[in-house]
């Protein structure tokens, strides 16, 4: 018997190791795969793009916020993996009658490591989980050493246009910005992803750097020019959104990406 509590405080009991997994969180789909659970994954969302081949060999159960309930029910899963930010409470509640829904809430590096550990417990992959936790922990500490002599810089991280939206507080992106010593000028605004007026960017923080994420909005050069005119000589930088927003095992690659980003900014 496995007894484990998810990040919303729900206690789950499993008499046997879950063998049929549906995952509604792209970054955690990748994590489950990296823990050696490809065969057990039976359903994924249309946004689960890593590893790429899963989209063609697993059942598509819809989007992260608009899932196909009847299709999921027909797959007879043993467990559904969800996330507080990625999936709405309505979606989670509608799925609870099918099987246990294990909900994660990941904002920090420590949250990521806990989730990997929880997966190790649930799916009896403790050895694989331990290896990934050690790898990420080592990369984290190595990056902290790399950052010791770096100065803090004021930054804005934009994720959407029309209206412009930025990463705010209580987000994984904001935590990644802090690790990179980027002071988020929108951290004190209300909401996780507040709407912002770029023409007010100077008076709201006057950033030295403006990051344009590769997802979910496809920013282009003309947008960088538009934003640049609203700042006081800020450097506009296109960044890989997956590296800033995908928790789980992707975090190991992210620390290497952050080193390269720091070097690019310093040029």
């Amino acid at each position: 018997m496995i007894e484990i509590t998810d990040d919303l405080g729900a206690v789950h009991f499993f008499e046997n190791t879950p063998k049929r997994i549906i995952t509604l969180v792209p970054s955690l789909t990748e994590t489950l795969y990296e823990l050696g659970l490809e065969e057990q994954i039976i359903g994924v969302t249309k946004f689960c793009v890593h590893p790429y081949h899963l989209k063609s060999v697993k059942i598509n159960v819809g989007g992260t916020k608009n899932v196909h309930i009847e299709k999921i029910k027909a797959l007879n899963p043993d467990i559904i993996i969800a996330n507080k930010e990625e999936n709405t409470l309505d979606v989670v509640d509608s799925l609870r009658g099918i099987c246990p829904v294990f909900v994660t809430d990941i904002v920090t590096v420590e949250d990521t490591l806990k989730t990997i550990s929880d997966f190790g417990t649930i799916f009896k992959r403790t050895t694989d989980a331990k290896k990934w936790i050690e790898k990420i922990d080592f990369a984290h500490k190595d990056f902290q050493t790399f950052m010791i002599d770096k100065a803090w810089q004021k930054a804005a991280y934009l994720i959407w246009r029309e209206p412009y939206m930025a990463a705010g507080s209580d987000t994984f992106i904001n935590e990644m910005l802090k690790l990179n010593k980027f002071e988020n000028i929108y951290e004190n605004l209300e909401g996780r992803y507040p709407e912002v007026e770029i023409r007010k960017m100077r008076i709201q923080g006057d950033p030295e750097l403006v990051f344009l994420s590769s997802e979910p909005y496809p920013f282009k050069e003309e947008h960088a020019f538009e934003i640049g005119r609203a700042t006081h000589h800020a450097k506009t930088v296109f960044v890989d959104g997956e590296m800033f927003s995908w928790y789980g095992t992707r975090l190991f690659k992210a620390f290497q990406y952050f080193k390269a980003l720091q070097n690019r900014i310093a040029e």
Side-chain angles (χ1 to χ4, degrees):
M1 171 73 75
I2 299 169
E3 178 182 339
I4 192 164
T5 304
D6 71 18
D7 292 340
L8 293 191
V11 182
H12 301 279
F13 299 92
F14 300 96
E15 290 189 10
N16 301 297
T17 305
K19 300 294 185 184
R20 298 176 62 79
I21 306 167
I22 287 178
T23 167
L24 306 180
V25 191
S27 58
L28 296 183
T29 299
E30 180 181 51
T31 299
L32 292 166
Y33 171 83
E34 296 287 8
L35 292 176
L37 292 162
E38 178 176 4
E39 289 187 8
Q40 288 87 334
I41 298 171
I42 57 173
V44 299
T45 75
K46 63 182 179 180
F47 300 114
C48 294
V49 295
H50 296 297
Y52 183 76
H53 73 275
L54 280 191
K55 291 179 67 177
S56 60
V57 297
K58 305 298 180 181
I59 302 297
N60 181 337
V61 297
T64 55
K65 294 176 173 57
N66 297 289
V67 301
H68 301 305
I69 306 295
E70 293 304 316
K71 185 181 285 189
I72 290 175
K73 187 182 296 185
L75 287 172
N76 193 29
D78 297 324
I79 189 171
I80 298 170
I81 302 298
N83 177 263
K84 181 181 177 182
E85 179 180 341
E86 290 276 357
N87 315 115
T88 66
L89 183 59
D90 286 344
V91 165
V92 170
D93 285 342
S94 65
L95 295 171
R96 291 193 192 278
I98 299 174
C99 71
V101 183
F102 190 86
V103 184
T104 59
D105 183 16
I106 304 172
V107 176
T108 66
V109 173
E110 290 70 28
D111 294 339
T112 293
L113 299 183
K114 176 185 177 298
T115 295
I116 294 173
S117 177
D118 285 346
F119 285 173
T121 299
I122 295 169
F123 302 110
K124 291 189 177 177
R125 286 292 194 278
T126 53
T127 300
D128 297 284
K130 185 173 182 290
K131 287 179 181 177
W132 273 104
I133 288 169
E134 289 175 350
K135 284 172 61 174
I136 294 170
D137 188 51
F138 177 84
H140 182 204
K141 290 174 179 174
D142 176 66
F143 184 68
Q144 288 176 313
T145 300
F146 173 83
M147 290 297 299
I148 283 177
D149 296 327
K150 298 287 192 296
W152 282 84
Q153 299 178 82
K154 291 198 294 183
Y157 188 104
L158 301 181
I159 64 163
W160 198 257
R161 181 176 178 273
E162 293 184 341
Y164 274 105
M165 297 175 70
S169 62
D170 197 29
T171 62
F172 190 75
I173 293 172
N174 193 52
E175 289 299 314
M176 295 303 101
L177 292 173
K178 289 179 182 178
L179 285 176
N180 279 275
K181 291 189 176 180
F182 299 137
E183 180 187 347
N184 185 359
I185 68 168
Y186 295 125
E187 185 176 17
N188 295 322
L189 292 187
E190 186 176 350
R192 294 162 67 94
Y193 299 100
E195 290 186 20
V196 298
E197 293 185 51
I198 60 168
R199 60 188 180 86
K200 293 184 178 179
M201 194 175 284
R202 292 188 190 183
I203 61 173
Q204 289 183 325
D206 196 19
E208 300 160 76
L209 299 162
V210 178
F211 297 117
L212 302 183
S213 180
S214 62
E215 61 170 35
Y217 187 86
F219 285 103
K220 296 180 174 60
E221 289 291 346
E222 59 262 33
H223 306 137
F225 180 73
E226 176 186 11
I227 294 162
R229 288 184 299 176
T231 67
H232 188 257
H233 306 301
K235 188 173 187 177
T236 306
V237 184
F238 290 91
V239 294
D240 185 338
E242 291 178 357
M243 295 300 180
F244 276 92
S245 64
W246 280 44
Y247 29 77
T249 53
R250 173 57 60 105
L251 193 52
F252 178 71
K253 296 179 182 177
F255 287 121
Q256 294 303 313
Y257 174 82
F258 293 153
K259 282 186 178 181
L261 176 63
Q262 290 285 343
N263 291 334
R264 177 154 57 105
I265 290 171
E267 292 176 353

